[in-house]
Amino acid sequence: MPPALDSRCALFLDIDGTLAEIAATPDAVQLHPAFADLLPDLQRELGGAVAIVTGRSITSADALLSGLVLPMAGQHGCERRDAEGAIHLHATSGATQNRLRDLLEGLARRHPQLMLEDKGATMALHYRATPQLASHVHQTMRRSMHDNDGFELLPGRMLLEVRPEGRDKGTSIADFMAEPPFAGRVPVFVGDDKTDEHGFDAVEKLGGWSVKVGPGRTSAQFRLANPVAVRRWLLAPIETPPQSDSTTIKR
């Protein structure tokens, strides 16, 4: 169990598998109604230093949050909305992206059980409905990627994602931590998947702490069993630390 948040923290949260249970398709995911009040409360108590860091697009994540507009990194940091509402985009090679999109679309046509999620800068091929195709999907995409593409493959929970190189959840958290209201705080990142490991590493390098949700190997320092446990942990009162020159949480 991670320690309770305190008022020096900057909180970064994944969505799928962390705030919400994984569903058969991304569109079927639902956020528990309690978060409608909990997230604004956390944002107020932490001086605005709450952000969503997700593989979803910002548009998709905003729809889940039902009108609550938070600072957010979408598509593993390929798009980011800062605390002032400014959008930061990281462009990719259109020709290369189109070639990879055609390849993914071809795989999905040949195997209708696969689901292609085109988020814009990133694309994910889901094989949750047919896990026996996982090896075929991974091998096909590895053979088709070139060293100079500027894209990389990122395995996730029952999916394979194609994303631009150089952007991940860790770089997004570092970007936020260089800006108000996050700068100078203790970063805390909560995530559930392999794609969140970059975020865990980033917060630890910045003197913060990391929380893995669910089973599986991880570099995170703490673990919570599931999104229900995450919600219970976030509902705990935020502590007020003693006055100190240090901003490092003792563990």
Side-chain angles (χ1 to χ4, degrees):
M1 171 72 74
L5 294 169
D6 73 35
S7 58
R8 299 169 298 180
C9 289
L11 180 62
F12 301 96
L13 298 164
D14 178 39
I15 295 179
D16 297 75
T18 299
L19 295 184
E21 298 287 354
I22 297 291
T25 66
D27 290 343
V29 170
Q30 293 185 335
L31 206 62
H32 193 282
F35 283 113
D37 294 325
L38 177 56
L39 290 175
D41 287 348
L42 287 168
Q43 189 181 35
R44 183 178 61 256
E45 293 179 39
L46 295 177
V50 176
I52 299 296
V53 181
T54 176
R56 287 177 176 264
S57 68
I58 288 178
T59 299
S60 172
D62 277 347
L64 271 178
L65 294 177
S66 302
L68 175 62
V69 179
L70 291 173
M72 184 179 297
Q75 301 189 65
H76 305 281
C78 291
E79 53 179 3
R80 190 173 69 88
R81 180 172 63 213
D82 65 26
E84 299 297 320
I87 300 293
H88 307 263
L89 300 175
H90 298 271
T92 59
S93 166
T96 300
Q97 188 174 32
N98 288 338
R99 178 180 69 79
L100 295 173
R101 180 179 287 109
D102 289 344
L103 178 63
L104 290 167
E105 288 176 345
L107 278 169
R109 282 194 300 270
R110 290 193 298 274
H111 304 283
Q113 308 97 320
L114 298 174
M115 189 194 77
L116 176 59
E117 183 185 9
D118 190 342
K119 309 175 194 180
T122 65
M123 298 167 285
L125 197 60
H126 296 256
Y127 45 81
R128 179 173 298 278
T130 178
Q132 65 271 22
L133 285 176
S135 178
H136 175 64
V137 168
H138 283 251
Q139 291 177 15
T140 300
M141 293 306 299
R142 280 199 299 268
R143 288 196 303 265
S144 304
M145 298 288 285
H146 305 148
D147 289 342
N148 61 350
D149 274 343
F151 285 78
E152 61 184 346
L153 297 176
L154 187 67
R157 186 181 288 189
M158 304 300 284
L159 61 86
L160 184 64
E161 191 135 19
V162 180
R163 69 173 187 191
E165 292 178 331
R167 297 301 304 174
D168 57 47
K169 293 185 178 183
T171 59
S172 299
I173 289 171
D175 288 342
F176 280 123
M177 289 299 295
E179 304 167 346
F182 303 93
R185 290 176 171 269
V186 179
V188 179
F189 178 49
V190 190
D192 73 300
D193 205 350
K194 293 178 182 178
T195 61
D196 297 311
E197 294 294 323
H198 295 101
F200 298 153
D201 292 343
V203 296
E204 291 175 27
K205 288 177 182 176
L206 291 168
W209 37 285
S210 51
V211 183
K212 161 79 170 179
V213 181
R217 296 180 62 181
T218 182
S219 65
Q221 299 152 300
F222 303 100
R223 191 183 296 267
L224 290 166
N226 50 43
V228 173
V230 173
R231 190 165 65 250
R232 289 172 179 162
W233 173 66
L234 292 176
L235 282 166
I238 292 179
E239 298 179 350
T240 301
Q243 293 296 318
S244 171
D245 292 335
S246 172
T247 59
T248 302
I249 290 179
K250 295 181 181 179
R251 294 189 287 275

